[in-house]
Amino acid sequence: MLSVLIETRDDEEGLARTLASLVGGAVEGVVREVIVCNLGSTDQTHYVAEHAGCAYLAKGGIQAGIAQAKSDWLLLLEPGARLAEGWTEDAVRHMSRLTMAARFTRSRASNRPFWERVTSRPRALEQGLVITRKQAAVLGRNGADAEGIARGLAVKTLDAEIVVAQR
């Protein structure tokens, strides 16, 4: 089972899209809980999280979310990212075999134009991150945000697809 952590700031619409893509995983029993880690939102993020039944942390960022998580495995996502149908099978298979972190495969729908790929660096968290709680706690110990935890990790790429959040 997974605890999903979403670090957000003023992105209520993106959060709602991401939460909608997690419903299948919750129904299948793969998603144990969703924790929304707020970074000072001034919009209705709080209400979106509450209405969806998520735990909402107003302070502490991703480190507080990691500390509160009940599962041994975490799924870190950006608000606005959407997991494609069938992602749960790949995630469960990965968690049962390996202890290394993993990302999802970027869907064709979210491919960036050539020039943008050449001139910009991809965000470390844009393809999500499946990671053990223990590893995330160690990486987040120095005050890193979710992006900082995901940056520079050796990861496996899962076959399941993710539609990357637009920034």
Side-chain angles (χ1 to χ4, degrees):
M1 290 177 55
L2 282 166
S3 292
V4 179
L5 301 178
I6 304 170
E7 194 173 63
T8 186
R9 180 180 187 157
D10 293 329
D11 198 357
E12 64 188 84
E13 289 178 26
L15 178 61
R17 283 191 300 275
T18 300
L19 294 174
S21 77
L22 296 172
V23 171
V27 170
E28 293 175 25
V30 175
V31 174
R32 180 177 190 174
E33 64 184 336
V34 178
I35 302 170
V36 176
C37 305
N38 186 33
L39 298 175
S41 295
T42 57
D43 63 359
Q44 302 298 314
T45 298
H46 179 19
Y47 294 112
V48 171
E50 275 187 0
H51 289 306
C54 302
Y56 180 81
L57 303 178
K59 296 179 183 175
I62 199 75
Q63 291 85 13
I66 293 168
Q68 183 174 320
K70 296 175 185 156
S71 300
D72 290 335
W73 283 89
L74 306 177
L75 170 57
L76 295 135
L77 292 171
E78 291 182 329
R82 291 170 291 145
L83 295 166
E85 197 167 316
W87 68 270
T88 56
E89 291 85 14
D90 252 5
V92 168
R93 192 175 320 113
H94 172 75
M95 292 183 298
S96 69
R97 283 192 254 162
L98 300 171
T99 57
M100 73 182 302
R103 299 184 200 284
F104 294 94
T105 299
R106 177 190 275 276
S107 79
R108 291 182 184 260
S110 55
N111 277 344
R112 296 176 297 167
F114 174 76
W115 188 249
E116 186 179 329
R117 284 181 284 169
V118 170
T119 60
S120 67
R121 202 170 111 184
R123 298 181 311 278
L125 198 56
E126 71 182 9
Q127 289 174 249
L129 183 67
V130 178
I131 188 171
T132 63
R133 185 177 55 178
K134 183 186 285 186
Q135 186 178 14
V138 169
L139 292 170
R141 212 180 294 163
N142 297 336
D145 59 359
E147 182 76 11
I149 290 172
R151 191 174 300 116
L153 279 178
V155 296
K156 179 182 183 337
T157 302
L158 303 176
D159 290 332
E161 292 186 353
I162 187 169
V163 176
V164 174
Q166 299 300 313
R167 295 287 163 170

Coordinates of all heavy atoms in Angstrom, one line a residue, residues 20-112:
A20 N -8.4 13.1 -8.7 CA -9.3 12.3 -9.5 C -8.6 11.1 -10.1 O -9.2 10.0 -10.2 CB -9.9 13.2 -10.6
S21 N -7.3 11.2 -10.5 CA -6.6 10.1 -11.1 C -6.2 9.0 -10.0 O -5.8 7.9 -10.4 CB -5.4 10.6 -11.8 OG -4.3 10.9 -11.0
L22 N -6.3 9.4 -8.8 CA -6.0 8.4 -7.7 C -7.1 7.6 -7.2 O -7.0 6.6 -6.5 CB -5.4 9.2 -6.5 CG -4.0 9.9 -6.8 CD1 -3.7 10.7 -5.6 CD2 -3.0 8.9 -7.1
V23 N -8.3 7.9 -7.7 CA -9.5 7.2 -7.2 C -9.5 5.7 -7.4 O -9.8 4.9 -6.5 CB -10.8 7.8 -7.8 CG1 -12.0 7.0 -7.5 CG2 -11.0 9.3 -7.3
G24 N -9.1 5.3 -8.6 CA -9.0 3.9 -9.0 C -8.0 3.2 -8.0 O -8.3 2.0 -7.6
G25 N -6.9 3.8 -7.7 CA -5.9 3.2 -6.8 C -6.5 3.0 -5.4 O -6.2 2.1 -4.7
A26 N -7.3 4.0 -5.0 CA -8.0 3.9 -3.6 C -9.0 2.8 -3.6 O -9.1 2.0 -2.6 CB -8.6 5.2 -3.3
V27 N -9.8 2.7 -4.7 CA -10.8 1.6 -4.8 C -10.1 0.2 -4.8 O -10.6 -0.7 -4.1 CB -11.7 1.8 -6.0 CG1 -12.5 0.6 -6.3 CG2 -12.5 3.1 -5.9
E28 N -9.0 0.1 -5.4 CA -8.3 -1.2 -5.5 C -7.5 -1.5 -4.2 O -7.0 -2.6 -4.0 CB -7.3 -1.2 -6.7 CG -8.0 -1.1 -8.0 CD -7.0 -1.0 -9.1 OE1 -5.8 -1.4 -9.0 OE2 -7.3 -0.5 -10.2
G29 N -7.4 -0.5 -3.3 CA -6.7 -0.7 -2.0 C -5.3 -0.5 -2.1 O -4.5 -0.8 -1.1
V30 N -4.8 0.1 -3.2 CA -3.3 0.4 -3.3 C -3.0 1.7 -2.6 O -2.0 1.8 -2.0 CB -2.9 0.4 -4.8 CG1 -1.5 0.8 -4.9 CG2 -3.1 -0.9 -5.4
V31 N -3.9 2.7 -2.7 CA -3.7 4.0 -2.1 C -4.3 3.9 -0.7 O -5.5 3.8 -0.6 CB -4.3 5.2 -2.9 CG1 -4.2 6.5 -2.2 CG2 -3.6 5.3 -4.3
R32 N -3.5 4.0 0.3 CA -3.9 3.9 1.7 C -4.4 5.3 2.2 O -5.4 5.4 2.9 CB -2.8 3.4 2.6 CG -3.1 3.3 4.0 CD -2.0 2.8 4.8 NE -2.4 2.4 6.1 CZ -1.6 1.8 7.0 NH1 -0.4 1.5 6.7 NH2 -2.1 1.6 8.2
E33 N -3.7 6.3 1.8 CA -4.0 7.7 2.2 C -3.4 8.7 1.3 O -2.4 8.4 0.6 CB -3.5 7.9 3.7 CG -1.9 7.9 3.7 CD -1.4 8.0 5.1 OE1 -2.0 8.6 6.0 OE2 -0.2 7.5 5.3
V34 N -3.9 9.9 1.3 CA -3.4 11.0 0.5 C -3.1 12.1 1.5 O -4.0 12.5 2.2 CB -4.3 11.5 -0.6 CG1 -3.7 12.6 -1.4 CG2 -4.6 10.3 -1.6
I35 N -1.9 12.6 1.5 CA -1.5 13.7 2.4 C -1.2 14.9 1.5 O -0.3 14.9 0.7 CB -0.4 13.4 3.3 CG1 -0.7 12.1 4.1 CG2 0.0 14.5 4.2 CD1 0.4 11.5 4.9
V36 N -1.9 16.0 1.7 CA -1.6 17.3 1.0 C -0.7 18.2 1.9 O -1.2 18.5 3.0 CB -2.9 18.0 0.5 CG1 -2.6 19.3 -0.1 CG2 -3.7 17.1 -0.4
C37 N 0.5 18.5 1.4 CA 1.4 19.3 2.2 C 1.4 20.7 1.6 O 1.9 20.9 0.5 CB 2.8 18.7 2.1 SG 2.9 17.0 2.6
N38 N 0.8 21.6 2.3 CA 0.6 23.0 1.9 C 1.8 23.8 2.1 O 2.5 23.7 3.1 CB -0.6 23.6 2.6 CG -0.9 24.9 2.0 OD1 -0.8 25.2 0.8 ND2 -1.4 25.8 2.8
L39 N 2.1 24.7 1.1 CA 3.3 25.6 1.2 C 2.8 27.0 1.3 O 3.4 27.9 0.6 CB 4.2 25.3 0.1 CG 4.9 24.0 0.0 CD1 5.7 23.8 -1.3 CD2 5.7 23.7 1.2
G40 N 1.7 27.3 1.9 CA 1.2 28.7 2.1 C 0.2 29.1 1.0 O 0.2 30.2 0.6
S41 N -0.7 28.2 0.7 CA -1.7 28.5 -0.3 C -2.7 29.6 0.2 O -3.0 29.7 1.3 CB -2.5 27.3 -0.7 OG -1.7 26.3 -1.3
T42 N -3.1 30.4 -0.8 CA -4.1 31.5 -0.5 C -5.4 31.2 -1.2 O -6.3 32.0 -1.1 CB -3.6 32.9 -0.8 OG1 -3.2 32.9 -2.2 CG2 -2.3 33.2 0.0
D43 N -5.5 30.1 -2.0 CA -6.7 29.8 -2.7 C -7.5 28.7 -1.9 O -7.4 28.7 -0.7 CB -6.4 29.3 -4.1 CG -5.5 28.0 -4.1 OD1 -5.2 27.5 -3.0 OD2 -5.2 27.5 -5.2
Q44 N -8.3 28.0 -2.6 CA -9.2 27.0 -1.9 C -8.6 25.6 -1.8 O -9.3 24.6 -1.7 CB -10.5 26.9 -2.7 CG -11.2 28.3 -2.8 CD -11.6 28.8 -1.4 OE1 -12.1 28.1 -0.6 NE2 -11.3 30.1 -1.1
T45 N -7.3 25.5 -1.9 CA -6.6 24.2 -1.8 C -7.1 23.4 -0.6 O -7.3 22.2 -0.7 CB -5.1 24.4 -1.7 OG1 -4.7 25.0 -2.9 CG2 -4.3 23.1 -1.6
H46 N -7.2 24.1 0.5 CA -7.6 23.4 1.8 C -9.0 22.7 1.6 O -9.2 21.6 2.0 CB -7.7 24.5 2.9 CG -8.1 24.0 4.2 ND1 -8.1 22.7 4.6 CD2 -8.6 24.6 5.3 CE1 -8.5 22.6 5.8 NE2 -8.9 23.7 6.2
Y47 N -9.9 23.4 1.0 CA -11.3 22.8 0.8 C -11.2 21.6 -0.2 O -11.9 20.6 0.0 CB -12.2 23.9 0.3 CG -12.5 24.9 1.3 CD1 -12.0 26.2 1.2 CD2 -13.1 24.6 2.5 CE1 -12.2 27.2 2.1 CE2 -13.3 25.5 3.5 CZ -12.9 26.8 3.3 OH -13.1 27.8 4.3
V48 N -10.4 21.7 -1.3 CA -10.3 20.6 -2.2 C -9.8 19.4 -1.5 O -10.4 18.3 -1.6 CB -9.4 21.0 -3.4 CG1 -9.1 19.8 -4.3 CG2 -10.0 22.1 -4.2
A49 N -8.8 19.5 -0.7 CA -8.2 18.4 0.1 C -9.2 17.8 1.0 O -9.4 16.6 1.1 CB -6.9 18.8 0.8
E50 N -9.9 18.7 1.8 CA -10.9 18.2 2.8 C -12.0 17.5 2.1 O -12.4 16.4 2.6 CB -11.4 19.4 3.6 CG -10.6 19.8 4.7 CD -11.3 20.8 5.6 OE1 -12.4 21.3 5.2 OE2 -10.7 21.3 6.6
H51 N -12.6 18.0 1.0 CA -13.7 17.4 0.4 C -13.3 16.0 -0.3 O -14.2 15.1 -0.4 CB -14.3 18.3 -0.7 CG -15.1 19.4 -0.1 ND1 -16.1 19.3 0.8 CD2 -14.9 20.8 -0.3 CE1 -16.5 20.4 1.2 NE2 -15.9 21.4 0.5
A52 N -12.1 15.9 -0.6 CA -11.6 14.6 -1.2 C -11.2 13.6 -0.1 O -10.9 12.4 -0.4 CB -10.4 14.8 -2.1
G53 N -11.3 14.0 1.2 CA -10.9 13.1 2.3 C -9.4 12.9 2.5 O -9.0 12.0 3.1
C54 N -8.7 13.9 2.1 CA -7.2 13.9 2.3 C -6.8 14.4 3.6 O -7.5 15.3 4.2 CB -6.5 14.7 1.2 SG -6.9 14.3 -0.5
A55 N -5.7 14.0 4.1 CA -5.1 14.7 5.3 C -4.5 16.0 4.8 O -3.8 16.0 3.7 CB -4.0 13.8 5.9
Y56 N -4.6 17.1 5.5 CA -4.1 18.4 5.0 C -3.2 18.9 6.1 O -3.6 19.1 7.2 CB -5.3 19.3 4.8 CG -4.9 20.7 4.3 CD1 -4.6 20.9 3.0 CD2 -4.8 21.8 5.2 CE1 -4.3 22.2 2.6 CE2 -4.4 23.0 4.8 CZ -4.2 23.2 3.5 OH -3.8 24.5 3.0
L57 N -1.9 19.1 5.7 CA -0.9 19.7 6.6 C -0.6 21.1 6.2 O -0.1 21.4 5.1 CB 0.3 18.8 6.5 CG 0.2 17.4 6.8 CD1 1.5 16.6 6.7 CD2 -0.4 17.2 8.2
A58 N -1.0 22.0 7.1 CA -0.8 23.5 6.8 C 0.6 23.9 7.0 O 1.1 24.9 6.5 CB -1.7 24.3 7.7
K59 N 1.4 23.1 7.8 CA 2.8 23.5 8.1 C 3.7 22.3 8.0 O 3.2 21.1 8.1 CB 2.9 24.1 9.5 CG 2.1 25.4 9.7 CD 2.3 25.9 11.1 CE 1.4 27.1 11.3 NZ 1.4 27.6 12.6
G60 N 5.0 22.5 7.8 CA 5.9 21.4 7.9 C 6.4 20.9 6.5 O 7.3 20.1 6.5
G61 N 5.6 21.2 5.5 CA 6.0 20.7 4.2 C 6.1 19.2 4.0 O 5.4 18.5 4.7
I62 N 6.9 18.8 3.1 CA 7.0 17.3 2.8 C 7.5 16.5 3.9 O 7.1 15.4 4.1 CB 7.8 17.1 1.5 CG1 7.5 15.8 0.9 CG2 9.3 17.3 1.7 CD1 6.2 15.7 0.2
Q63 N 8.4 17.1 4.8 CA 8.9 16.4 5.9 C 7.8 16.0 6.9 O 7.8 14.9 7.4 CB 10.0 17.2 6.7 CG 11.3 17.4 5.9 CD 11.2 18.6 5.0 OE1 10.3 19.4 5.0 NE2 12.2 18.7 4.1
A64 N 6.9 16.9 7.1 CA 5.7 16.6 8.0 C 4.9 15.5 7.4 O 4.4 14.6 8.1 CB 4.9 17.8 8.2
G65 N 4.7 15.5 6.1 CA 4.0 14.5 5.4 C 4.6 13.1 5.5 O 4.0 12.1 5.7
I66 N 5.9 13.1 5.3 CA 6.7 11.8 5.5 C 6.5 11.3 6.9 O 6.3 10.1 7.1 CB 8.2 12.0 5.1 CG1 8.3 12.3 3.6 CG2 9.0 10.8 5.4 CD1 9.7 12.8 3.2
A67 N 6.6 12.1 7.9 CA 6.5 11.7 9.3 C 5.1 11.2 9.6 O 5.0 10.3 10.4 CB 6.9 12.9 10.2
Q68 N 4.1 11.7 8.9 CA 2.7 11.3 9.2 C 2.3 10.1 8.4 O 1.4 9.4 8.8 CB 1.8 12.5 8.9 CG 0.3 12.1 9.2 CD -0.6 13.3 9.1 OE1 -0.2 14.4 9.4 NE2 -1.8 13.1 8.5
A69 N 3.0 9.8 7.3 CA 2.6 8.7 6.4 C 2.6 7.4 7.1 O 3.4 7.1 8.0 CB 3.6 8.6 5.2
K70 N 1.6 6.6 6.8 CA 1.4 5.3 7.5 C 2.0 4.1 6.7 O 2.2 3.0 7.3 CB -0.1 5.0 7.7 CG -0.7 6.0 8.6 CD -2.2 5.8 8.7 CE -2.8 6.9 9.6 NZ -4.2 7.1 9.3
S71 N 2.2 4.3 5.4 CA 2.7 3.2 4.6 C 4.3 3.2 4.5 O 4.9 4.3 4.7 CB 2.2 3.3 3.2 OG 0.8 3.3 3.2
D72 N 4.8 2.1 4.2 CA 6.3 2.0 4.0 C 6.7 2.5 2.7 O 7.9 2.8 2.5 CB 6.7 0.5 4.1 CG 6.6 0.0 5.5 OD1 6.7 0.8 6.5 OD2 6.5 -1.2 5.7
W73 N 5.8 2.6 1.7 CA 6.1 3.2 0.4 C 5.3 4.5 0.2 O 4.1 4.6 0.6 CB 5.7 2.2 -0.7 CG 6.7 1.1 -0.9 CD1 6.7 -0.1 -0.2 CD2 7.8 1.1 -1.7 NE1 7.7 -0.8 -0.6 CE2 8.5 -0.1 -1.5 CE3 8.4 2.0 -2.6 CZ2 9.6 -0.5 -2.2 CZ3 9.5 1.7 -3.3 CH2 10.1 0.4 -3.1
L74 N 6.0 5.5 -0.4 CA 5.3 6.8 -0.7 C 5.3 7.0 -2.2 O 6.1 6.5 -3.0 CB 6.2 7.9 -0.1 CG 6.5 7.8 1.4 CD1 7.4 9.0 1.8 CD2 5.2 7.8 2.2
L75 N 4.3 7.7 -2.6 CA 4.2 8.2 -4.0 C 4.1 9.7 -3.9 O 3.2 10.3 -3.4 CB 2.9 7.6 -4.7 CG 2.5 8.2 -6.0 CD1 3.7 8.1 -7.0 CD2 1.2 7.6 -6.6
L76 N 5.1 10.4 -4.4 CA 5.2 11.8 -4.5 C 4.8 12.3 -5.8 O 5.3 11.8 -6.8 CB 6.6 12.3 -4.2 CG 7.1 12.0 -2.8 CD1 8.5 11.4 -2.8 CD2 7.1 13.2 -1.9
L77 N 3.8 13.2 -5.8 CA 3.3 13.7 -7.1 C 3.2 15.3 -7.0 O 3.0 15.9 -6.0 CB 1.9 13.2 -7.4 CG 1.7 11.7 -7.7 CD1 0.2 11.3 -7.7 CD2 2.4 11.4 -9.0
E78 N 3.3 15.9 -8.2 CA 3.0 17.3 -8.4 C 1.5 17.5 -8.5 O 0.9 16.7 -9.2 CB 3.7 17.9 -9.6 CG 5.2 17.9 -9.5 CD 5.8 18.5 -10.8 OE1 5.3 18.4 -11.9 OE2 6.9 19.2 -10.6
P79 N 1.0 18.6 -8.0 CA -0.4 18.9 -8.3 C -0.6 19.1 -9.8 O 0.2 19.8 -10.4 CB -0.7 20.1 -7.5 CG 0.6 20.7 -7.1 CD 1.6 19.6 -7.2
G80 N -1.6 18.5 -10.4 CA -1.8 18.6 -11.8 C -1.4 17.4 -12.6 O -1.9 17.1 -13.7
A81 N -0.5 16.6 -12.0 CA -0.1 15.3 -12.7 C -1.2 14.3 -12.6 O -1.9 14.2 -11.6 CB 1.2 14.8 -12.0
R82 N -1.4 13.5 -13.7 CA -2.5 12.5 -13.7 C -1.9 11.2 -14.1 O -1.3 11.0 -15.1 CB -3.6 12.9 -14.7 CG -4.3 14.2 -14.2 CD -5.2 14.7 -15.2 NE -4.4 15.3 -16.3 CZ -4.7 15.2 -17.6 NH1 -5.8 14.7 -18.0 NH2 -3.9 15.8 -18.5
L83 N -2.1 10.2 -13.2 CA -1.7 8.8 -13.5 C -2.6 8.2 -14.5 O -3.9 8.3 -14.3 CB -1.5 8.0 -12.2 CG -0.4 8.6 -11.3 CD1 -0.6 7.9 -9.9 CD2 0.9 8.3 -11.9
A84 N -2.1 7.5 -15.5 CA -3.0 6.8 -16.5 C -3.6 5.5 -15.8 O -3.0 5.0 -14.9 CB -2.1 6.4 -17.7
E85 N -4.7 5.1 -16.4 CA -5.4 3.9 -15.9 C -4.4 2.7 -15.9 O -3.6 2.6 -16.9 CB -6.6 3.7 -16.8 CG -7.6 2.7 -16.1 CD -8.9 2.7 -16.8 OE1 -9.4 3.8 -17.2 OE2 -9.4 1.6 -17.0
G86 N -4.5 1.9 -14.9 CA -3.6 0.7 -14.8 C -2.3 0.9 -14.2 O -1.5 0.0 -14.1
W87 N -2.1 2.1 -13.6 CA -0.8 2.4 -12.9 C -0.6 1.6 -11.7 O 0.6 1.3 -11.3 CB -0.7 3.9 -12.6 CG -1.6 4.3 -11.5 CD1 -2.9 4.8 -11.6 CD2 -1.4 4.3 -10.1 NE1 -3.4 5.1 -10.4 CE2 -2.5 4.8 -9.5 CE3 -0.3 4.0 -9.3 CZ2 -2.6 5.0 -8.1 CZ3 -0.4 4.1 -7.9 CH2 -1.5 4.6 -7.3
T88 N -1.6 1.1 -11.1 CA -1.5 0.4 -9.8 C -0.8 -0.9 -9.9 O 0.0 -1.3 -9.1 CB -2.9 0.2 -9.1 OG1 -3.7 -0.5 -10.1 CG2 -3.5 1.5 -8.7
E89 N -1.0 -1.6 -11.0 CA -0.4 -2.9 -11.2 C 1.2 -2.8 -11.3 O 1.9 -3.5 -10.7 CB -0.9 -3.6 -12.5 CG -2.3 -4.1 -12.5 CD -3.3 -3.0 -12.8 OE1 -2.9 -1.9 -13.4 OE2 -4.5 -3.2 -12.5
D90 N 1.6 -1.8 -12.0 CA 3.1 -1.5 -12.2 C 3.7 -1.1 -10.8 O 4.7 -1.6 -10.4 CB 3.3 -0.4 -13.2 CG 3.9 -0.9 -14.4 OD1 4.1 -2.2 -14.6 OD2 4.3 -0.1 -15.3
A91 N 3.0 -0.3 -10.1 CA 3.5 0.2 -8.8 C 3.6 -1.0 -7.8 O 4.6 -1.1 -7.1 CB 2.6 1.3 -8.3
V92 N 2.5 -1.8 -7.7 CA 2.5 -2.9 -6.8 C 3.6 -3.9 -7.2 O 4.3 -4.4 -6.3 CB 1.1 -3.6 -6.8 CG1 1.2 -4.9 -6.1 CG2 0.1 -2.7 -6.2
R93 N 3.8 -4.2 -8.4 CA 4.8 -5.1 -8.9 C 6.2 -4.6 -8.5 O 7.1 -5.3 -8.0 CB 4.8 -5.3 -10.4 CG 5.6 -6.4 -11.0 CD 5.4 -6.7 -12.4 NE 4.0 -6.5 -12.9 CZ 3.6 -5.6 -13.7 NH1 4.4 -4.7 -14.2 NH2 2.3 -5.6 -14.1
H94 N 6.4 -3.3 -8.7 CA 7.7 -2.7 -8.3 C 8.0 -2.7 -6.8 O 9.0 -3.1 -6.4 CB 7.7 -1.2 -8.8 CG 8.9 -0.5 -8.3 ND1 10.2 -0.7 -8.8 CD2 9.1 0.4 -7.3 CE1 11.1 0.1 -8.2 NE2 10.4 0.8 -7.2
M95 N 7.0 -2.4 -6.0 CA 7.1 -2.4 -4.6 C 7.4 -3.8 -4.0 O 8.1 -4.0 -3.0 CB 5.9 -1.8 -3.9 CG 5.8 -0.3 -4.2 SD 4.4 0.5 -3.3 CE 3.0 -0.4 -4.0
S96 N 6.9 -4.8 -4.7 CA 7.1 -6.2 -4.2 C 8.4 -6.7 -4.5 O 8.9 -7.7 -3.9 CB 6.0 -7.1 -4.8 OG 6.1 -7.3 -6.2
R97 N 9.1 -6.2 -5.5 CA 10.4 -6.7 -6.0 C 11.6 -5.9 -5.6 O 12.6 -6.4 -5.3 CB 10.4 -6.8 -7.5 CG 9.7 -7.9 -8.1 CD 10.0 -8.1 -9.5 NE 8.8 -7.6 -10.3 CZ 8.9 -7.3 -11.5 NH1 10.0 -7.3 -12.2 NH2 7.8 -6.9 -12.1
L98 N 11.5 -4.6 -5.5 CA 12.6 -3.7 -5.4 C 12.5 -2.8 -4.2 O 11.5 -2.5 -3.7 CB 12.8 -2.9 -6.7 CG 13.1 -3.7 -8.0 CD1 13.0 -2.7 -9.1 CD2 14.4 -4.4 -7.9
T99 N 13.7 -2.2 -3.8 CA 13.7 -1.2 -2.8 C 14.1 0.1 -3.4 O 14.2 1.1 -2.7 CB 14.6 -1.6 -1.6 OG1 15.9 -1.8 -2.1 CG2 14.0 -2.8 -0.9
M100 N 14.5 0.2 -4.6 CA 15.0 1.4 -5.2 C 13.7 2.3 -5.7 O 12.7 1.7 -5.9 CB 15.9 1.2 -6.4 CG 15.2 0.7 -7.7 SD 16.4 0.4 -9.0 CE 17.2 2.0 -9.3
A101 N 14.0 3.5 -5.8 CA 12.9 4.5 -6.2 C 12.5 4.2 -7.7 O 13.3 3.7 -8.5 CB 13.4 5.9 -6.0
A102 N 11.4 4.7 -8.1 CA 10.9 4.6 -9.5 C 10.1 5.8 -9.9 O 9.5 6.5 -9.1 CB 10.1 3.3 -9.6
R103 N 10.1 6.0 -11.2 CA 9.3 7.1 -11.8 C 8.4 6.4 -12.8 O 8.6 5.3 -13.3 CB 10.2 8.1 -12.5 CG 11.1 8.8 -11.7 CD 11.9 9.9 -12.5 NE 13.1 10.3 -11.9 CZ 13.2 11.1 -10.9 NH1 12.2 11.6 -10.3 NH2 14.4 11.4 -10.4
F104 N 7.3 7.2 -13.2 CA 6.4 6.7 -14.2 C 6.9 7.2 -15.6 O 7.7 8.1 -15.7 CB 5.0 7.2 -14.0 CG 4.4 6.6 -12.7 CD1 4.5 7.3 -11.5 CD2 3.8 5.4 -12.8 CE1 4.0 6.8 -10.4 CE2 3.2 4.9 -11.6 CZ 3.3 5.6 -10.4
T105 N 6.5 6.5 -16.6 CA 6.8 6.9 -18.0 C 6.0 8.1 -18.4 O 4.8 8.1 -18.2 CB 6.5 5.7 -19.0 OG1 7.4 4.6 -18.6 CG2 6.8 6.1 -20.4
R106 N 6.6 9.1 -19.0 CA 5.9 10.3 -19.5 C 5.0 9.9 -20.6 O 5.5 9.3 -21.6 CB 7.0 11.3 -19.9 CG 6.4 12.6 -20.5 CD 7.5 13.3 -21.2 NE 8.2 14.2 -20.2 CZ 7.7 15.4 -19.9 NH1 6.7 15.9 -20.4 NH2 8.4 16.1 -19.0
S107 N 3.8 10.3 -20.5 CA 2.8 9.9 -21.6 C 3.1 10.8 -22.9 O 3.7 11.9 -22.8 CB 1.4 10.1 -21.2 OG 1.0 11.5 -21.2
R108 N 2.7 10.3 -24.0 CA 2.9 11.0 -25.2 C 2.2 12.4 -25.2 O 2.6 13.3 -25.8 CB 2.5 10.2 -26.4 CG 3.4 9.0 -26.7 CD 3.0 8.3 -27.9 NE 3.8 7.1 -28.1 CZ 4.8 7.1 -29.0 NH1 5.1 8.1 -29.7 NH2 5.5 5.9 -29.1
A109 N 1.1 12.4 -24.5 CA 0.2 13.6 -24.4 C 1.0 14.7 -23.7 O 0.6 15.9 -23.9 CB -1.1 13.3 -23.7
S110 N 2.0 14.4 -23.0 CA 2.7 15.5 -22.2 C 4.1 15.7 -22.7 O 5.0 16.3 -22.1 CB 2.7 15.2 -20.7 OG 3.3 13.9 -20.5
N111 N 4.4 15.2 -24.0 CA 5.8 15.5 -24.5 C 5.9 17.0 -24.8 O 5.0 17.6 -25.3 CB 6.0 14.7 -25.8 CG 6.4 13.3 -25.5 OD1 6.9 13.0 -24.4 ND2 6.3 12.4 -26.5
R112 N 7.1 17.5 -24.5 CA 7.3 18.9 -24.7 C 7.9 19.1 -26.1 O 8.5 18.2 -26.7 CB 8.3 19.4 -23.7 CG 7.8 19.3 -22.3 CD 8.9 19.7 -21.3 NE 10.0 18.8 -21.4 CZ 11.2 19.0 -20.8 NH1 11.4 20.1 -20.2 NH2 12.1 18.1 -20.9

